[in-house]
Amino acid sequence: DGGITQSPKYLFRKEGQNVTLSCEQNLNHDAMYWYRQDPGQGLRLIYYSQIVNDFQKGDIAEGYSVSREKKESFPLTVTSAQKNPTAFYLCASSIHSFEGGNTEAFFGQGTRLTVV
Amino acid sequence: AQSVAQPEDQVNVAEGNPLTVKCTYSVSGNPYLFWYVQYPNRGLQFLLKYITGDNLVKGSYGFEAEFNKSQTSFHLKKPSALVSDSALYFCAVRLRDDKIIFGKGTRLHILP
């Protein structure tokens, strides 16, 4: 089945530890995204990537890092510098806007990160 | 700045009544607009998207959206609400550099 997979679904970490969230897609999409969701704040863009080996900061990139070494994978690392990392994290993918600007994004099921 | 606004945090509608969830946008050029729905602890599901030239767009589950260029709005509508429509709804806009911006979301409650 084609789709986008995030793992794990739930993640617990101690304060001060880095943690990496996985996002894999087999849709052959070039563009991939990471969003953070907090109650009442909607989805806020952390990072996005239009192509392999390239990515851009979103609105709340501080304390996060990403890599895009393969087309199908876009892992997100939540570093110890992120002051309030407990949240629901969503990954998405899409084709490029120049291939079809009004093409929708496909979302994974999310990872709920709790830092204690 | 390019943005999307959903002015209502919550909308309550009686089952069987028509519903509207509001969205306004501020982008340069022709907008690429979308509506998504989210159920608890799940990812977002695509509902519908604006197609240039169509002021009324039909989507999944009986939803439709009305595009109004002069009011820069893209309101989500449904003629007759179901209890199962209760969820969190997001309006989004896609920019030319592939960045996708979401509104803060509107929680829709359909009352039996």
Side-chain angles (χ1 to χ4, degrees), chain A residues 74-96:
Chain A
F74 191 41
L76 173 74
T77 296
V78 185
T79 74
S80 56
Q82 169 50 234
K83 294 178 181 174
N84 186 18
T86 295
F88 189 53
Y89 291 88
L90 287 162
C91 180
S93 71
S94 180
I95 66 173
H96 274 310

Side-chain angles (χ1 to χ4, degrees), chain B:
Chain B
Q2 306 194 81
S3 63
V4 174
Q6 293 180 242
E8 304 153 317
D9 291 337
Q10 183 169 310
V11 171
N12 297 322
V13 177
E15 187 176 25
N17 283 2
L19 69 87
T20 298
V21 182
K22 296 179 180 177
C23 173
T24 59
Y25 64 91
S26 174
V27 299
S28 54
N30 289 325
Y32 294 148
L33 295 161
F34 305 83
W35 276 100
Y36 292 83
V37 60
Q38 184 182 34
Y39 298 99
N41 296 312
R42 303 298 296 273
L44 274 66
Q45 297 177 28
F46 168 74
L47 272 182
L48 52 79
K49 61 188 176 186
Y50 171 59
I51 299 172
T52 303
D54 290 350
N55 289 341
L56 187 65
V57 179
K58 294 192 183 295
S60 306
Y61 312 118
F63 283 93
E64 55 193 28
E66 187 173 18
F67 175 74
N68 188 313
K69 187 173 183 178
S70 63
Q71 296 184 5
T72 62
S73 65
F74 189 56
H75 300 331
L76 182 69
K77 297 174 180 285
K78 188 174 183 181
S80 179
L82 300 172
V83 172
S84 57
D85 293 331
S86 298
L88 187 56
Y89 290 81
F90 289 97
C91 183
V93 63
R94 183 168 188 162
L95 308 180
R96 293 294 183 272
D97 63 353
D98 281 328
K99 189 175 183 179
I100 303 175
I101 301 171
F102 285 82
K104 290 192 173 183
T106 299
R107 189 164 298 281
L108 179 62
H109 285 286
I110 307 301
L111 309 171

Side-chain angles (χ1 to χ4, degrees), chain A residues 33-101:
Chain A
Y33 306 81
W34 274 106
Y35 291 90
R36 170 179 173 144
Q37 185 176 18
D38 297 282
Q41 298 203 46
L43 272 67
R44 293 183 290 168
L45 183 63
I46 304 172
Y47 271 97
Y48 68 109
S49 168
Q50 293 175 285
I51 200 167
V52 174
N53 292 323
D54 189 36
F55 46 83
Q56 289 79 41
K57 291 182 179 180
D59 300 317
I60 57 165
E62 185 175 351
Y64 299 96
S65 66
V66 293
S67 63
R68 187 84 189 276
E69 297 176 2
K70 298 185 295 182
K71 187 176 186 177
E72 59 270 23
S73 178
F74 191 41
L76 173 74
T77 296
V78 185
T79 74
S80 56
Q82 169 50 234
K83 294 178 181 174
N84 186 18
T86 295
F88 189 53
Y89 291 88
L90 287 162
C91 180
S93 71
S94 180
I95 66 173
H96 274 310
S97 61
F98 63 77
E99 293 180 68

